[in-house]
Amino acid sequence: ELKVEQNPLFLSMQEGKNYTIYCNYSTTSDRLYWYRQDPGKSLESLFVLLSNGAVKQEGRLMASLDTKARLSTLHITAAVHDLSATYFCAVEAYNTDKLIFGTGTRLQVFP
Amino acid sequence: GAGVSQSPRYKVAKRGQDVALRCDPISGHVSLFWYQQALGQGPEFLTYFQNEAQLDKSGLPSDRFFAERPEGSVSTLKIQRTQQEDSAVYLCASSQAGGVGSYEQYFGPGTRLTVT
């Protein structure tokens, strides 16, 4: 059974600092997604990572995928308050289309 | 174009009532998914359709939950005899094509169900 774990679960960071969120998954998959969720809102797609070694960047966020290690990272550079939200990774279960989500990382950026 | 829409956005039901939640996917999207998100948790898969065929319903928590997509577009998730543990946000997502490991899922705004 595919399991997806994120850490940390909660992250409080100062503006301007850098940090990394980790996403580990337990079985084979070649597709991993990162989503952002603001309180009371739905999921906003951030990145789709489709192959080993994939790296994508958008603004202050950069995501990477290592399928051999079954690990994805979401790196935050020079955090700003607008990045405060909950971030989920989701892995496409092998041989299906369904997504298995991590527990989420609640990010709070303070001045 | 229009994204995935869901209705109602909020629903309060008394324990034991039946509820029906509607999802309108992005036009032309073949695949449709339902997820349940409890407070403070990540979404959990409920069921999946490719056109009108329900290909996977392994995530439905009990036989009180039933989903349909009779014409391959709009889908309805029905919960019979609601219980307090059914309180959650129900998210619908659609994707462009069917088949294993195909396309990105786009999520609707969700229906927040509260069972009192």
Side-chain angles (χ1 to χ4, degrees), chain A residues 31 37 42 45 92 97 99, chain B residues 37 48 99 101-102 104-105 108:
Chain A
R31 290 173 182 259
Q37 188 175 42
S42 189
S45 178
E92 200 167 279
D97 282 340
L99 295 179
Chain B
Q37 186 175 23
Y48 156 53
S102 50
E104 183 177 358
Q105 296 180 27

Side-chain angles (χ1 to χ4, degrees), chain A residues 63-109:
Chain A
S64 67
L65 177 62
D66 180 343
T67 58
K68 293 180 181 176
R70 298 176 184 163
L71 170 69
S72 179
T73 61
L74 180 66
H75 186 73
I76 302 156
T77 302
V80 293
H81 179 71
D82 285 351
L83 290 179
S84 298
T86 298
Y87 293 84
F88 290 98
C89 65
V91 177
E92 200 167 279
Y94 185 71
N95 217 32
T96 76
D97 282 340
K98 66 186 182 186
L99 295 179
I100 308 298
F101 282 82
T103 47
T105 296
R106 186 176 166 197
L107 172 65
Q108 192 169 43
V109 182

